Amino acid sequence: MTAMARKQIRGEALRERVLDIALELFSKQGYFNTSIHDIRRQAQVSIGAIYHHFESKEALARGLYLQLLDRIDAEIDAILMEQERCLARSRAVVSLLFELTEAEPQVMQFVLLAKHSEYLPDEPPICSSSPFVRMRQVLEEGIVAGEVRQMEPWVAATAMFGGAMRMMNLRLDGALQKPLPSYLDEVVECGWRAVRT
């Protein structure tokens, strides 16, 4: 391995470490209560190393936010390729979101509960991000296929996924003691009853 390749790997590893620490601190303390110096101290890197990868704290938060959305989007892509029918797709999406919330609560805390518009004013609201647009499209396609009754797609998506999102918020807030997957069947059934033909 060349010196350049080793340096690039170290650079990528450092960038990922900074993103991981930023996620942890933004989730625990909030964006405004976390400084670049807090991130530097916890990541045990220099300020220069952080600014080499991110021009500002806002750029770091944007990079983290977009990376997490891309990851969820890729998971939803895989679901849409595996499943053809609206109910199966919807169930798989809810299952994915529940599993992510259980396995990586800080990720879902940051993606769902942070007020991104306060520090990422140029990013669209979370409900307009690609994963959520794709979730709405699942219902739009269900309407076209006759699996979902005729209704406004936003209403259909809210009816199908809104309960699941609220359950995720309750779990992240510590209100639910049981893991989210234990509620999967009931949550999906409630959503499906609201939209099916």
Side-chain angles (χ1 to χ4, degrees):
M1 181 180 289
T2 67
M4 178 80 102
R6 282 193 300 276
K7 185 175 179 182
Q8 184 177 1
I9 289 170
R10 280 197 306 269
E12 290 169 9
L14 187 143
R15 183 179 190 279
E16 289 305 311
R17 174 142 180 82
V18 169
L19 287 170
D20 288 345
I21 296 299
L23 172 63
E24 179 183 335
L25 293 177
F26 291 161
S27 297
K28 284 182 184 172
Q29 302 172 184
Y31 174 83
F32 291 108
N33 293 325
T34 301
S35 70
I36 287 288
H37 289 283
D38 295 331
I39 296 166
R40 180 208 62 77
R41 196 170 22 258
Q42 183 120 354
Q44 299 179 340
V45 299
S46 70
I47 289 288
I50 292 175
Y51 283 117
H52 175 74
H53 292 282
F54 306 99
E55 65 186 39
S56 64
K57 185 171 82 166
E58 182 182 304
L60 197 163
R62 178 178 291 107
L64 177 61
Y65 179 66
L66 295 176
Q67 178 188 51
L68 296 174
L69 288 180
D70 285 348
R71 189 172 141 216
I72 294 169
D73 206 27
E75 296 277 355
I76 291 175
D77 264 347
I79 287 168
L80 299 185
M81 292 184 71
E82 288 175 14
Q83 305 292 340
E84 293 182 11
R85 300 190 55 89
C86 186
L87 176 57
R89 285 178 164 185
S90 298
R91 180 185 177 79
V93 168
V94 173
S95 180
L96 165 69
L97 296 175
F98 280 8
E99 288 169 14
L100 281 174
T101 302
E102 291 297 326
E104 300 180 65
Q106 289 179 338
V107 167
M108 298 312 281
Q109 182 89 23
F110 183 72
V111 170
L112 294 179
L113 302 182
K115 296 188 184 299
H116 304 105
S117 62
E118 292 179 358
Y119 54 90
L120 298 176
D122 297 331
E123 292 300 321
I126 188 69
C127 61
S128 297
S129 66
S130 180
F132 290 90
V133 168
R134 308 286 296 293
M135 289 162 65
R136 188 185 73 231
Q137 288 172 346
V138 166
L139 276 295
E140 288 175 340
E141 291 172 12
I143 291 168
V144 170
E147 299 170 76
V148 174
R149 61 190 169 85
Q150 288 295 318
M151 65 174 76
E152 165 60 41
W154 275 115
V155 173
T158 301
M160 187 67 232
F161 298 115
M165 303 302 280
R166 181 65 184 136
M167 294 292 283
M168 292 160 61
N169 288 345
L170 290 169
R171 182 68 168 152
L172 290 169
D173 287 343
L176 295 179
Q177 299 307 310
K178 294 193 309 186
L180 286 169
S182 65
Y183 300 102
L184 179 64
D185 291 338
E186 198 170 359
V187 169
V188 170
E189 178 62 23
C190 286
W192 188 244
R193 283 183 185 178
V195 300
R196 70 184 178 195
T197 51

